Amino acid sequence: MGLSNGFMKYTRVENDWIKPDLRLTNFEEMHSYLDDSDRRKQAARCMNCGVPMCQSAIKLGGMVTGCPLHNFIPEWNDALYKGQYNMAAWRLLKTSSFPEFTGRVCPALCEKACNCISMEKDYTDDKDIKDPVTIHENELYIIEKAFESGYMQPQIPKVRSGKKIAVVGSGPAGLAVADLLNRRGHNVTVFERDDRIGGLLMYGIPNMKLDKKIVDRRVKLMEAEGVTFITNADVGNNTDASMLLNQFDAVALCCGAKKARKLNVAGEDAKGIYPAVDFLTQVTKSVCKNNEGEKPAAIADILSTLDSSNPDMNPSGKNVIIVGGGDTGNDCTGTCARLGAATITALEMMPQPPVERQANNPWPQWPRVLKTDYGQQEVISLTNNDPRIYKTTIKEIYQKDGHITGVKTVQVEFRNVDGQRKLCEIEGTEKELPCDLLLIAAGFLGAEEYTAKAFGAELSPRGVVNTAKGPESYSTNVEKVFTCGDMHRGQSLVVWAIAEGRQCAREIDEFLMGYSNL
């Protein structure tokens, strides 16, 4: 620990948000960054505490806390404070495959478990001391410094094993599998069904949260290290699964959990209703098409491209309703705000969370408190109203000439019915709302089955691929076929997908070589 009283000497200072009225004019990233001196002060706040819960990833009270990657957080915070940037990057990359991704899109499980938060009033009344270390932003600073300085050079294996691995899916889990197995010396080919590499990172996360140039930068680095990428290869459709089984020594299925949940209400067959990820994909493709040069894509050009691909998905001037209050719903909110939606309403089935942490939700559990994210902030700045409506869902969809025109909503609550907890309508709370575009961000039902079935891999009742030795293993019922990420655990976070990809890579390595040093 470079500065023993850093957490008392310096207060928590975060990267600044670009003001909503400015960031709504484009799809560029939304933060300005601290300079070197201020960032090193933030690293000095890390206590190198005796029990770093930030890197624990243990289950407490039914909730997992801390970093699933078990990052060496105190070590690289100390190196950052001392200005030892290469040392910081070396320790960070020891456990984290892609800090440039998690440093942007991870909700920072590590910070919620930071020991600074545990300093209750018995010890100090100073709120600044009890604020967690800016672990998430320190991580991003370290990796971006590493790219800027030239530290991030291709690490080409000196010896090749001769073993060939096919990775199906190029999202965070697939990239993590490919990265580690290639570094081990195996020959890795990644098959991606879309036209660009990155999976969820490329098309499921809006450009303002994760600039696609950052994804492309990592892909180019991996290519230079020897990984082969093949796009427009939809395994189970235009690419034969048996070919992969015959030509490769192992196959890793990393296809995500993109089977969208439906509302199952009357009128759902109307035009103008889309799964949220399908909507975000089309918008991001429009952004990418108009963002090839150095100049950011103009909103008018994005809308024009969106009109040419699917005008029903264009939210400009429309009444948009988003079902689901999670990260994906918020991404839809921010996207529609940028593209000029007339109104934006976000329906959340659960009740509004409390503003402050409750007694039954102690540190280091994830705090179940009200969070106003960037998309909601932007709509509030435009309308002076929070777009979220809690304890509400859609009961019926209205349409005219086959296109959605409105919805009937109803308030809901959980009640004990015959000894079971059930979601029930609240009588007399029905409302009608105009709607021209309905986006479903209510979660996923598991993996799309066709790729798993093409290999003969079994699916669980939850719609994910079964693993032969239980949930902590990655081998399927089919010899030499493995799975990880959302396709294995269900809908989850990017950081969990990367963690699973790394663990799956080790299991594949053991299968191929009889042991593993990963």
Side-chain angles (χ1 to χ4, degrees), residues 458-473:
E458 295 176 352
L459 293 169
S460 77
R462 293 196 308 120
V464 297
V465 177
N466 267 332
T467 43
K469 299 177 183 178
E472 300 303 317
S473 74

Side-chain angles (χ1 to χ4, degrees), residues 191 230-244 454-455:
F191 296 85
I230 300 176
T231 57
N232 299 306
D234 190 0
V235 178
N237 281 328
N238 67 7
T239 302
D240 191 7
S242 63
M243 179 271 290
L244 271 61
F455 287 94

